[in-house]
Amino acid sequence: MTDKPIIVLFRNDLRISDNKALAAAADSGRPVIPLFILDETGADARPRGAASRWWLHHSLTALGAAVEKLGNRLVLQTGATGKVIAEAIKASGADTVLWNRRYDPAGMAVDAALKSHLRDEGFEAESFDGFLLHEPSRVATQSGDFYKVFTPFHKRLTADGEPRDPVDAPRQLARCDSMPGSERLDALGLLPKPDWAGGLSGRWKPGEAGALERLEIFLEERLNGYAQGRDRPGEDATSGLSPHLAHGEITPFRIMAALRRRRSQGAETFVKEVSWREFCYHLLFHKPALHRENFRPEFDTFAWRNAPAALKAWQRGQTGYPIVDAGMRELWQTGYMHNRVRMIAASFLIKDLLIDWRQGETWFWDTLVDADAANNPANWQWVAGSGADAAPYFRIFNPVLQGEKFDPQGSYVRHWVPELATLPDRFIHRPWEAPAAVLGDSRLDLGSDYPRPIVDHARARERAMAAYRATRGDD
Ligand code: FAD
């Protein structure tokens, strides 16, 4: 037995409950060094986007406060993980390093090297589950291949039975006498300058307490209507848990345990969505370049357009298609976009504008508070048709019909595109068809207050189909 300190690493697991690495350290009764390292040194690491950095700042504030309540202090460091840990070991005399596993390719490579290096040097190094319900390396088809289709993947996960119960938060964390020095949170430079994050602060409460609150609200108020409501962007019908999951402020184990007591159609649909997240990580595990490379190589020769003005109009929510613009403005202002609208906006970029899905994926990566190494590229490839189990390329969303179907009274559009707020329902998704008198009554000067469509959808659709046929060699 030893009473040497234990270092517990925090990365995308910014919580104290259902944190197996932290629980193991606390249970040992030994001094604990909770350590967060901002490691932006890896050549392969994908730097966090701006919205995710904003979230991280606030999540670390919350985690720091929670750790203090346990009688300890969160140490913040920047630099290469291995080097920072070596210095922390030297300063503290720690002989054990514990962490919860992460599943982005660069992070996994760092952790694998770290584990073998520490063990070679005679230290203890152990990792735990928490971020995913199933280890991607252990899920395989009967022939030993990886799953490329969601439904059998989901069935296979379900056959594994109920996931484990979440573990409790420690009651205290013994402090180490020789704690390594910490950098100040502000010095990590995570907040945007100038500060454009007002809309993000208005909508979100980063941190574990915010995550648990969201889960509670979802279970009490939204779960029953989730199956029907989840496609309605004008309603608060989904959980809003994605940024909390992305930063590990809550685990899927906690979510699954809470759902277990509430069997319903809503719960079944929700479990499937959580399973999609697992599927995206399964794909990323087997295709680590998922954000750079088409899953289906036949898309490698696709004739994408270089169209900077159109890309900018899309990014700024100025395409002239109200549902697309509402989504892009929601994203810009709050770091989030409703799932249905993500699909519509992504389809518009890829198919109506014929712009490479990677450009959209990059924009989302920078602007989403839930920017996720697996979910983002996997979903972009799903929309593009280049992904596994993807929507076929020729299924091209009509942004007007999608708007009318899922936002029938236009409440979502009216909120995010206020210049259209007074248009009657009939024209809210097609303002260019409104007669002059209607536009006059609504005090809308089309082309000045709000753009006319930057492409004609019907023609853009033909163009997209032709490009697709050419890629397949049908022409
Ligand atoms: P809920 O409907 O409450 O779903 C619960 C949870 O299930 C989500 O928090 C999420 O973890 C998971 N989930 C739901 N839908 C999906 C899905 N299609 N794929 C994978 N997991 C899912 N999600 C991200 O977390 N990060 C991203 O970077 C991301 N990028 C996307 C890009 C595009 C083009 C599209 C179409 C979807 C993307 N998604 C992404 C998936 C989905 O839009 C969000 O997870 C969802 O909108 C988050 O809101 P919510 O938590 O209220 O979802």
Side-chain angles (χ1 to χ4, degrees), residues 429-468:
H429 291 290
R430 45 177 96 221
W432 61 92
E433 287 182 11
V438 172
L439 292 175
D441 286 349
S442 303
R443 295 181 196 286
L444 181 66
D445 183 1
L446 211 56
S448 163
D449 298 333
Y450 181 72
R452 293 181 182 282
I454 59 169
V455 286
D456 173 77
H457 174 69
R459 262 187 261 145
R461 187 178 189 290
E462 287 312 309
R463 181 175 67 177
M465 288 303 294
Y468 176 60

Side-chain angles (χ1 to χ4, degrees), residues 60-141:
L60 287 172
T61 308
L63 180 67
V67 168
E68 275 191 24
K69 272 200 184 149
L70 299 176
N72 210 311
R73 181 168 59 86
L74 179 65
V75 176
L76 304 174
Q77 292 284 347
T78 44
T81 301
K83 189 163 169 274
V84 173
I85 289 174
E87 281 161 10
I89 287 176
K90 208 166 146 205
S92 64
D95 71 349
T96 302
V97 186
L98 305 180
W99 63 81
N100 298 305
R101 285 186 282 281
R102 50 185 174 173
Y103 299 91
D104 62 291
M108 285 177 76
V110 168
D111 291 353
L114 181 66
K115 199 181 256 181
S116 66
H117 172 74
L118 286 170
R119 287 181 174 174
D120 286 351
E121 297 285 310
F123 296 105
E124 242 189 81
E126 212 55 66
S127 66
F128 300 85
D129 66 37
F131 193 76
L132 295 177
L133 298 167
H134 300 265
E135 294 298 317
S137 58
R138 297 217 193 111
V139 181
T141 64

Side-chain angles (χ1 to χ4, degrees), residues 318-336:
Q318 297 286 347
T319 67
Y321 284 94
I323 191 79
V324 175
D325 293 339
M328 297 308 294
R329 294 183 197 188
E330 182 187 20
L331 173 61
W332 184 245
Q333 288 175 41
T334 71
Y336 179 87

Side-chain angles (χ1 to χ4, degrees), residues 47-58:
R48 283 171 187 277
S52 177
R53 289 171 78 84
W54 171 88
W55 188 285
L56 177 61
H57 177 98
H58 294 288

Side-chain angles (χ1 to χ4, degrees), residues 68-260:
E68 275 191 24
K69 272 200 184 149
L70 299 176
N72 210 311
R73 181 168 59 86
L74 179 65
V75 176
L76 304 174
Q77 292 284 347
T78 44
T81 301
K83 189 163 169 274
V84 173
I85 289 174
E87 281 161 10
I89 287 176
K90 208 166 146 205
S92 64
D95 71 349
T96 302
V97 186
L98 305 180
W99 63 81
N100 298 305
R101 285 186 282 281
R102 50 185 174 173
Y103 299 91
D104 62 291
M108 285 177 76
V110 168
D111 291 353
L114 181 66
K115 199 181 256 181
S116 66
H117 172 74
L118 286 170
R119 287 181 174 174
D120 286 351
E121 297 285 310
F123 296 105
E124 242 189 81
E126 212 55 66
S127 66
F128 300 85
D129 66 37
F131 193 76
L132 295 177
L133 298 167
H134 300 265
E135 294 298 317
S137 58
R138 297 217 193 111
V139 181
T141 64
Q142 282 191 336
S143 63
D145 199 358
F146 69 101
Y147 283 92
K148 298 170 190 87
V149 181
F150 172 72
T151 304
F153 173 83
H154 178 59
K155 268 199 193 139
R156 158 72 180 72
L157 297 197
T158 315
D160 271 2
E162 293 290 348
R164 66 163 173 81
D165 283 330
V167 301
D168 289 339
R171 293 187 176 188
Q172 60 173 27
L173 281 182
R175 197 166 168 155
C176 166
D177 291 334
S178 45
M179 287 290 268
S182 176
E183 292 178 33
R184 282 187 21 253
L185 178 57
D186 286 347
L188 302 190
L190 296 168
L191 292 178
K193 287 197 191 73
D195 182 6
W196 44 253
L200 277 63
S201 317
R203 176 135 175 191
W204 301 104
K205 184 175 164 190
E208 186 171 5
L212 296 175
E213 255 169 47
R214 275 216 178 256
L215 177 62
E216 207 46 44
I217 291 172
F218 178 68
L219 296 173
E220 293 305 320
E221 299 171 14
R222 302 181 185 178
L223 182 61
N224 285 340
Y226 179 74
Q228 301 75 34
R230 60 181 289 269
D231 264 326
R232 296 290 176 114
E235 295 172 21
D236 278 334
T238 70
S239 71
L241 280 169
S242 52
H244 299 287
L245 277 164
H247 292 85
E249 297 165 355
I250 190 167
T251 66
F253 293 96
R254 161 118 17 238
I255 294 173
M256 295 295 280
L259 289 171
R260 222 171 281 156

